[in-house]
Amino acid sequence: MGLAGRGRGCAPRTWLCRRRRPYIQPAARMANEMQIRSPPIWRELSQRSHFSKPSSQWIAKWSSVMGVRGLQGFVGSTCPHICTVVNFKELAENHRSKHPGCTPTIVVDAMCCLRYWYTPESWICGGQWREYFSALREFVTTFTTVGIKLIFFFDGMVEQHKRDEWVKRRLKNNREISRIFHYIKSHKEQPGRNMFFIPSGLAIFTRFALKTLGQETLCSLREADYEVASYGLQNNCLGILGEDTDYLIYDTSPYFSISELCLESLNTIMLCREKLCESLNLKLADLPLLACLLGNDIIPEGMFESFRYKCLSSYTSAKENFDKKGNIILAVADHISKVLHLHQGEKKLEEMLPLGPNKALFYKGVASYLLPGQKSPWFFQKPKDVITLDKQVVSMCTDPESKQEVLMCTDPEYKQEVSMCTHPESKQGVPMCTDPESKQEVPMCTDPESKQEVPMCTDPESKKGTPIYTHPESKHEVPMCADPELKQEVPMCTHPEIKQKLPIGTDPEFKLESPMCTNPGIKQEDPMNLEPEIKQQVTMVSDPEILKVAQAQHVQGESYLVYNIMSSGEIECSNTLEDALDQALPSQAFAYRPVRQRVYALLLGDGRDDSSSCPTVKEWFVYSGNPLKHPDLVRPLPMNLAGGTPSLKLLWLNQEPEIQARRLDTLLACFDLSSSREELQAVENPFKALCCLLIYLFVQVDTLCLEDLHAFVAQALCLQGKSTLQLVDLQLDYVDPRAVQLGSLLVRGLTTLVLVNSACGFPWRMSDFMPWNVFDGKLFHQKYLLSEKGYAVEVLLEQNRSQLTRFHNLKSVVCKACMKENRRIVSRQHGRSHHSGRWGREGSGSHRTSSGHSRSGQGQHWRDQGPGSRPREPDQWRRCSSSSGWSN
């Protein structure tokens, strides 16, 4: 995610001044317009000087490390003319005139936009979720008011070839978090925006916030930028809104910058890849090659460093007023246009470039930019060869126009094939027919049952070709849907149980198989030696129906981590604001690991009570001391549940009324709180889920005290009666580092609730543990400081006597449930000091004392937890225990 702003020389001052205005305009400047367009809350927020859009310079710091290395700075300093000021309202009107009846649609790379959307001044205390929700609502409303539809894409998983880059960024974040806590301890205040770190769970809860606002949100099955670019191209979208220089490389819809967006005027910057090519004397098909030679998220920047300097040394047009990186990009582009073009189609890339042992990775990097149906003239191979790169099938065939062999991209998820291109399953050319409306060639589709060619029909809404499928039993014709969410062409029906469209049967190319089974149908041939080898496609679950439901919920953004666990058995969790030097509080990675382990048993155990046969799950969780060289291998834990562990078919597909109680029992069993069912059932919404989380936390973390409980409960009660403006106005006397970590710990608990609730078939409403309904960072911090100083409960409740009874009821539920687990919550004055540091952090070598409260046979207390098993490397942190359930 690359293009950013002035910090790396993104744009000249001329157009910067034309559109740079605060995200919320000062009332004096836009009083009349705001009076008409903005809701009352935003008219008042517009007067708050601190409530403003982050600068593009600031966003540049965070986005420039992603995408093509050096390109975002080059765009501004060397060829700023590719940046054009555009207005979304005008673009939408032009789009309607050219495409009558078609709604102008913008595809939003949501992960690029999180920092832009998070406008609240406070970010250190766990998140100002009410303010953030209001900012999202205003963003959405502004576009829908002018008739623009937004489609939001979120990253659904980290692809293996980008894992190293993911780890590199997480370790960098660790260093930044250490500096943040050092600043807090030194100054007792929040650092400046230059040290900004997004609140924990922001991406997860943004998905649900947008869904609450009625927006279409999709979660990717691969790297999100590829799916964003594909969706924009295939659906004739108005453009892509994001902050990633990879969108300058993809040959797709126009690319617009989120960091340059002025929400009031709907002006932003469009970055034109055609003008970029013109400036570099390149063709669009050359851009993927350029991106890989410069370095991107797949190709490390240092891999071709010597090659780039050789290009620079022989480059005769180097300009003195350009920076070094700018001249390097010009030199590499010059080498491509003047040297490589001479031998294009005659020599292989490895004969023209110093690829060495990195040939396969380089080919993979170039191919990663090819969208379904696109081709690259840079891959010179024999016809009918097939290379499988992750989920993308790349075939070699002859271009009828250029008479040379070119690389064709056939994505088996999109089912788009190119004329006479060898299909990896059928090994036959795919015939083409002409669409009567678009006059474009479209592929004939082969019915997986009959093996007959089926013509593509036209969807009256999308105007896209859709193959017709005849169901083998009903004989009814059903349209095949190239679902932008499932990314598979499968016949669609309405499932009678869950009332949503699901694929019929098993897609023959999806190859759902039992754990550790290989799929012999997909062959992989190295682009250099063309020696065939079997590519393994492994799933953790053998039931195709359940896996398809999990996939559908994942793509729709309705669940969290469930599909990742079931499909690949690998999950990750990014950084959390945790003080590495605080020896008294656990990392959230360890605090909630026993819950995740029981979820693994539920999802992978196939309804069996014995979890010993379940496969381990790879966890890439960030915590202090974890070098992230390898994932932690974590084994499932059995659940203590009357009647045994239910099957996923029972929990997910059975709609009988009594099953809802079974779902709730399973959820509580994941937290090992079955004994507290009656107490929790008596709690009103939205506090039921919060009490469940607090009970679990106070049992698991014995350094939490009565004052902490008072602060958590008081802030949840007071939040219900506060407006967003009141929360904005809250001022803190100072910032406490322990309260910062507690706020993050609770929010990570809310994301864990999302995981458990979706795994158990949604026994609770998701809205009950959305943070804007139960948590506010500044409000909690305020209550914590008051409670820490020993103020009475009445003060914490702001003298609201009507809340006093509810407070004591909620407190009683938590305390009684903890007593059942032999955990007595005491005041800090009567217990040990949380500042003493007597108790070692997880994995530090310290063991539980008699004062701890471990759950016998149900996994280790966080103090006894090591990081699980790490493959191939001795680990001094590892701790083995018969009750841990982790592999040795």
Side-chain angles (χ1 to χ4, degrees):
M1 298 181 181
L3 187 96
R6 300 310 78 69
R8 300 290 181 96
C10 180
R13 195 70 186 173
T14 52
W15 56 260
L16 171 67
C17 297
R18 291 176 57 188
R19 61 97 210 130
R20 170 57 64 226
R21 292 183 291 176
Y23 177 69
I24 302 299
Q25 294 288 353
R29 187 182 302 174
M30 290 289 290
N32 293 333
E33 182 180 352
M34 294 292 288
Q35 193 72 23
I36 295 173
R37 295 180 51 206
S38 300
I41 183 175
W42 284 89
R43 288 201 296 271
E44 188 162 349
L45 284 177
S46 67
Q47 303 174 34
R48 314 301 175 90
S49 60
H50 60 264
F51 199 94
S52 59
K53 169 187 170 181
S55 67
S56 57
Q57 296 99 316
W58 171 74
I59 294 182
K61 171 188 173 184
W62 298 97
S63 59
S64 60
V65 296
M66 305 183 72
V68 184
R69 303 300 183 258
L71 186 57
Q72 63 90 15
F74 172 81
V75 165
S77 63
T78 307
C79 50
H81 60 280
I82 81 163
C83 302
T84 305
V85 178
V86 295
N87 181 270
F88 278 126
K89 186 175 180 180
E90 295 174 0
L91 291 175
E93 292 172 353
N94 293 336
H95 189 273
R96 290 189 199 94
S97 64
K98 292 180 180 179
H99 308 279
C102 181
T103 303
T105 302
I106 294 176
V107 196
V108 182
D109 187 337
M111 303 302 290
C112 295
C113 301
L114 295 178
R115 299 177 185 277
Y116 175 91
W117 288 331
Y118 192 86
T119 56
E121 180 188 25
S122 174
W123 48 269
I124 198 74
C125 301
Q128 302 309 110
W129 296 97
R130 287 269 180 93
E131 297 175 57
Y132 181 63
F133 189 88
S134 296
L136 288 177
R137 181 168 52 206
E138 174 72 0
F139 181 87
V140 168
T141 301
T142 302
F143 280 92
T144 55
T145 299
V146 297
I148 296 177
K149 181 181 179 181
L150 301 174
I151 305 289
F152 297 88
F153 273 83
F154 289 81
D155 279 327
M157 56 187 61
V158 178
E159 295 190 64
Q160 288 304 315
H161 61 261
K162 293 194 175 184
R163 178 63 69 185
D164 288 344
E165 186 65 28
W166 184 90
V167 167
K168 180 180 176 182
R169 291 170 189 160
R170 302 293 83 74
L171 296 177
K172 178 177 181 288
N173 288 345
N174 276 345
R175 295 190 293 271
E176 292 173 352
I177 290 173
S178 295
R179 288 195 292 269
I180 288 172
F181 275 98
H182 181 267
Y183 184 94
I184 294 173
K185 293 172 184 177
S186 301
H187 298 83
K188 293 190 179 300
E189 65 181 15
Q190 175 180 279
R193 195 77 174 188
N194 62 315
M195 296 179 72
F196 172 82
F197 200 87
I198 62 172
S200 299
L202 192 67
I204 302 163
F205 292 122
T206 300
R207 282 181 4 211
F208 289 98
L210 291 169
K211 293 179 77 67
T212 302
L213 293 169
Q215 298 304 294
E216 184 173 352
T217 62
L218 304 175
C219 204
S220 68
L221 292 171
R222 57 182 300 170
E223 196 71 18
D225 57 3
Y226 183 90
E227 294 195 14
V228 168
S230 298
Y231 189 94
L233 177 67
Q234 293 182 326
N235 294 276
N236 191 29
C237 291
L238 186 64
I240 293 169
L241 185 61
E243 207 66 31
D244 188 335
T245 40
D246 279 334
Y247 294 128
L248 269 175
I249 307 301
Y250 287 112
D251 187 4
T252 181
S253 304
Y255 164 41
F256 305 107
S257 169
I258 182 65
S259 71
E260 305 300 335
L261 174 64
C262 174
L263 196 61
E264 278 65 43
S265 65
L266 279 179
N267 284 344
T268 190
I269 298 302
M270 180 180 72
L271 297 104
C272 180
R273 58 185 68 89
E274 288 78 11
K275 290 183 179 179
L276 176 64
C277 289
E278 182 181 336
S279 300
L280 299 175
N281 195 26
L282 297 177
K283 302 174 184 177
L284 285 175
D286 299 331
L287 292 180
L289 183 64
L290 174 68
C292 291
L293 290 174
L294 296 177
N296 54 22
D297 291 346
I298 297 177
I299 308 297
E301 188 175 6
M303 184 174 291
F304 294 101
E305 185 174 9
S306 60
F307 168 78
R308 291 194 296 269
Y309 279 101
K310 287 182 181 178
C311 292
L312 182 62
S313 63
S314 60
Y315 181 53
T316 58
S317 303
K319 301 180 181 180
E320 295 181 359
N321 58 328
F322 289 173
D323 60 18
K324 186 176 181 180
K325 286 189 175 181
N327 276 319
I328 286 178
I329 293 176
L330 290 172
V332 173
D334 184 71
H335 184 82
I336 293 174
S337 64
K338 293 182 179 178
V339 178
L340 300 188
H341 275 173
L342 293 178
H343 305 286
Q344 187 176 21
E346 299 176 1
K347 293 184 179 180
K348 299 178 181 180
L349 278 177
E350 59 266 30
E351 296 175 7
M352 299 186 287
L353 294 171
L355 301 186
N358 304 307
K359 289 185 291 186
L361 182 62
F362 187 82
Y363 274 71
K364 188 172 188 175
V366 174
S368 69
Y369 288 108
L370 299 181
L371 302 179
Q374 293 181 349
K375 57 187 179 181
S376 171
W378 286 105
F379 287 4
F380 179 81
Q381 298 253 354
K382 297 178 181 180
K384 299 183 181 180
D385 291 332
V386 177
I387 309 165
T388 302
L389 303 174
D390 290 336
K391 299 176 183 178
Q392 181 172 301
V393 177
V394 181
S395 306
M396 302 300 171
C397 59
T398 302
D399 187 336
E401 296 182 4
S402 64
K403 305 299 182 183
Q404 71 180 37
E405 291 158 337
V406 293
L407 182 73
M408 314 294 286
C409 173
T410 304
D411 193 329
E413 293 177 311
Y414 287 90
K415 298 291 191 303
Q416 280 193 253
E417 290 105 10
V418 185
S419 177
M420 299 310 297
C421 182
T422 304
H423 190 279
E425 293 287 352
S426 65
K427 300 293 185 290
Q428 297 176 356
V430 180
M432 308 293 291
C433 66
T434 303
D435 183 88
E437 291 191 18
S438 65
K439 308 299 183 183
Q440 296 179 347
E441 288 186 333
V442 293
M444 302 284 285
C445 176
T446 302
D447 185 341
E449 295 289 337
S450 64
K451 306 299 182 183
Q452 297 178 351
E453 290 174 354
V454 182
M456 305 287 282
C457 72
T458 302
D459 188 326
E461 295 184 3
S462 65
K463 307 299 182 185
K464 295 190 301 182
T466 306
I468 295 296
Y469 168 81
T470 304
H471 193 279
E473 296 181 2
S474 65
K475 307 301 181 183
H476 292 154
E477 289 186 343
V478 183
M480 297 282 286
C481 175
D483 194 322
E485 296 141 10
L486 293 180
K487 302 297 185 296
Q488 304 175 67
E489 273 187 354
V490 291
M492 304 301 292
C493 71
T494 301
H495 196 287
E497 297 285 347
I498 61 178
K499 310 299 182 186
Q500 71 179 52
K501 287 186 176 181
L502 289 176
I504 298 176
T506 303
D507 181 19
E509 289 197 30
F510 196 61
K511 301 291 184 184
L512 303 181
E513 300 187 14
S514 56
M516 302 311 295
C517 291
T518 60
N519 177 4
I522 299 179
K523 294 183 179 181
Q524 182 179 34
E525 298 186 8
D526 186 274
M528 273 56 68
N529 57 34
L530 299 180
E531 291 295 329
E533 63 178 11
I534 299 299
K535 179 182 180 179
Q536 294 185 349
Q537 187 162 352
V538 179
T539 58
M540 304 291 281
V541 227
S542 58
D543 189 331
E545 182 183 15
I546 285 298
L547 195 57
K548 292 255 182 175
V549 174
Q551 186 190 62
Q553 291 176 349
H554 170 92
V555 170
Q556 291 291 340
E558 296 169 353
S559 63
Y560 171 55
L561 295 182
V562 170
Y563 180 68
N564 307 64
I565 296 167
M566 298 176 70
S567 60
S568 65
E570 187 168 13
I571 62 173
E572 55 276 323
C573 182
S574 188
N575 306 78
T576 304
L577 282 178
E578 296 174 339
D579 185 3
L581 301 179
D582 186 346
Q583 299 295 305
L585 286 176
S587 167
Q588 65 88 19
F590 289 98
Y592 299 111
R593 176 175 279 179
V595 180
R596 297 194 302 274
Q597 289 178 276
R598 296 183 188 99
V599 171
Y600 301 157
L602 175 65
L603 297 178
L604 306 178
D606 197 25
R608 299 185 302 270
D609 292 326
D610 181 14
S611 62
S612 60
S613 60
C614 293
T616 58
V617 174
K618 298 177 182 178
E619 288 190 350
W620 295 90
F621 275 61
V622 182
Y623 52 84
S624 176
N626 184 6
L628 293 173
K629 292 182 179 179
H630 308 291
D632 293 342
L633 303 183
V634 181
R635 286 199 177 278
L637 278 178
M639 289 188 290
N640 183 16
L641 188 59
T645 305
S647 69
L648 293 181
K649 283 190 174 181
L650 180 71
L651 295 176
W652 292 7
L653 302 180
N654 192 314
Q655 295 300 311
E656 296 297 326
E658 61 270 15
I659 301 301
Q660 190 68 0
R662 188 68 170 153
R663 296 186 182 104
L664 177 58
D665 290 338
T666 308
L667 181 147
L668 295 178
C670 288
F671 286 94
D672 203 19
L673 296 178
S674 300
S675 61
S676 304
R677 190 184 197 280
E678 291 186 10
E679 291 88 343
L680 287 170
Q681 279 293 82
V683 177
E684 59 184 306
N685 291 326
F687 307 114
K688 190 178 299 182
L690 179 64
C691 283
C692 171
L693 183 57
L694 290 177
I695 295 168
Y696 174 81
L697 270 179
F698 276 80
V699 170
Q700 188 75 6
V701 184
D702 59 358
T703 53
L704 295 177
C705 62
L706 198 60
E707 287 81 3
D708 299 327
L709 179 59
H710 286 177
F712 280 126
V713 175
Q715 73 85 27
L717 289 172
C718 292
L719 178 62
Q720 309 309 311
K722 290 194 179 294
S723 67
T724 302
L725 290 174
Q726 288 174 315
L727 296 171
V728 171
D729 284 334
L730 279 178
Q731 298 297 319
L732 300 176
D733 294 336
Y734 60 92
V735 174
D736 183 281
R738 184 174 184 271
V740 169
Q741 185 162 343
L742 284 180
S744 296
L745 184 62
L746 185 85
V747 173
R748 284 298 187 192
L750 295 177
T751 65
T752 303
L753 268 170
V754 175
L755 164 64
V756 177
N757 197 51
S758 50
C760 296
F762 306 97
W764 281 339
R765 299 179 307 178
M766 284 290 195
S767 60
D768 288 341
F769 35 91
M770 292 298 107
W772 48 87
N773 290 328
V774 294
F775 180 79
D776 179 87
K778 271 199 303 184
L779 186 60
F780 165 71
H781 215 96
Q782 182 192 65
K783 305 305 178 187
Y784 176 90
L785 296 179
L786 291 173
S787 184
E788 173 89 359
K789 294 173 183 177
Y791 280 91
V793 170
E794 289 80 3
V795 178
L796 270 63
L797 296 175
E798 302 169 8
Q799 305 300 333
N800 187 341
R801 295 189 177 276
S802 64
Q803 296 280 32
L804 196 57
T805 301
R806 299 170 77 190
F807 175 90
H808 286 297
N809 287 341
L810 296 179
K811 174 185 172 181
S812 175
V813 167
V814 175
C815 290
K816 287 181 179 178
C818 288
M819 283 299 294
K820 290 183 179 180
E821 306 298 335
N822 196 29
R823 165 72 158 103
R824 182 169 175 260
I825 305 175
V826 298
S827 172
R828 183 165 301 126
Q829 286 72 24
H830 297 91
R832 61 177 180 268
S833 170
H834 66 273
H835 297 296
S836 65
R838 288 175 53 198
W839 310 109
R841 196 174 182 82
E842 59 273 16
S844 64
S846 63
H847 293 266
R848 286 286 294 158
T849 67
S850 60
S851 64
H853 306 279
S854 181
R855 319 295 291 276
S856 176
Q858 295 297 307
Q860 291 173 303
H861 187 279
W862 65 267
R863 297 189 191 285
D864 296 326
Q865 293 185 28
S869 292
R870 297 218 178 129
R872 302 177 298 279
E873 183 176 274
D875 184 3
Q876 70 272 20
W877 284 44
R878 186 182 305 151
R879 180 172 295 109
C880 305
S881 169
S882 60
S883 64
S884 70
W886 298 317
S887 58
N888 296 321

